[in-house]
Amino acid sequence: EALGTCRDMFSRLNPKTTMKVAVFEENGWEHGQRRALSHAAVLAAVREFGDFVLTSCPANALQADGQNDSGWDQGQVFYTTDRVWLQPCGWAQQMASAFHRGLLVASGCDDEGLIVSATKDEGGRSVVLHVVNTRGAKRKLELAIADEKWRISKAVSLSSPDPQVDNPPDDPERISPKDVTESIRSSMTVEPYSYTVIECQLGCALRR
């Protein structure tokens, strides 16, 4: 909604404007799973405005473990004197990057607890669905891709039953992406407080 308002304001100021938006800091004040879900939700909105929003980056990149003198306890990459590891938001960004496709696909969802966006590669070989479950309960998916034979080829999920949990130095991958291909194929269910990426190969006779 805010991005649409911004675009409308630009157009009112100058109907011929070529101005674009680049979001360099998504401030979040925290670094647990909820921050990862917020970033994944922002990316879904950005995809919808792909011709207007050039990029969106969460702040901040680096944070020393136990140090947040400014109060902005929102690092993606934490470090100590002997190790470096990702917080959930960093993992979410890696997932989005690994499954990037260049073309937006029209998508919709009737479940208010889910935020869904879809993209397609330029060769028309695959569709990728980005699903954010903002609720503390599992959600059932009923996936349909219009006018295509398809099958799920890969699914990866970042989830936690507690949205405020982060990755401490003694358990740096407590919240990290898990391969959920088989469970998505069989149950079509996403976990509570999760960001799930589902890749579907197109033109396949086998649907599962």
Side-chain angles (χ1 to χ4, degrees), residues 13-105:
L13 289 170
N14 179 2
K16 296 182 179 180
T17 184
T18 59
M19 290 182 67
K20 307 289 184 181
V21 167
V23 181
F24 289 121
E25 286 198 0
E26 298 168 20
N27 291 320
W29 304 95
E30 58 186 80
H31 58 266
Q33 175 69 358
R34 184 165 59 181
R35 182 75 194 286
L37 300 182
S38 297
H39 178 53
V42 168
L43 290 180
V46 167
R47 292 184 192 101
E48 296 293 327
F49 289 89
D51 59 339
F52 176 64
V53 184
L54 300 178
T55 188
S56 183
C57 305
N60 292 345
L62 288 173
Q63 181 173 326
D65 185 49
Q67 301 296 316
N68 60 320
D69 294 340
S70 66
W72 289 13
D73 193 13
Q74 59 185 18
Q76 296 182 73
V77 182
F78 269 45
Y79 67 93
T80 61
T81 56
D82 63 346
R83 69 178 60 189
V84 176
W85 69 98
L86 288 177
Q87 291 296 344
C89 187
W91 284 118
Q93 178 60 46
Q94 283 202 6
M95 289 169 60
S97 298
F99 288 90
H100 173 74
R101 302 293 185 272
L103 300 177
L104 181 69
V105 176

Side-chain angles (χ1 to χ4, degrees), residues 110-198:
D110 295 330
D111 189 332
E112 293 183 354
L114 298 178
I115 299 170
V116 177
S117 62
T119 54
K120 184 177 181 179
D121 71 291
E122 294 183 359
R125 296 178 295 273
S126 65
V127 165
V128 170
L129 305 175
H130 299 264
V131 182
V132 182
N133 182 4
T134 64
R135 304 291 173 84
K138 293 183 178 182
R139 317 299 282 190
K140 188 78 172 180
L141 301 177
E142 293 183 7
L143 182 58
I145 300 177
D147 302 323
E148 292 281 2
K149 295 178 179 179
W150 57 273
R151 68 178 179 90
I152 294 172
S153 56
K154 184 78 172 178
V156 178
S157 187
L158 185 76
S159 65
S160 169
D162 182 350
Q164 297 192 59
V165 168
D166 60 11
N167 289 334
D170 58 348
D171 192 5
E173 294 189 1
R174 176 163 61 187
I175 303 174
S176 57
K178 303 293 190 297
D179 188 315
V180 294
T181 307
E182 292 304 321
S183 65
I184 290 293
R185 285 174 176 170
S186 61
S187 69
M188 292 301 294
T189 301
V190 292
E191 293 297 312
Y193 300 123
S194 63
Y195 169 41
T196 304
V197 182
I198 304 171

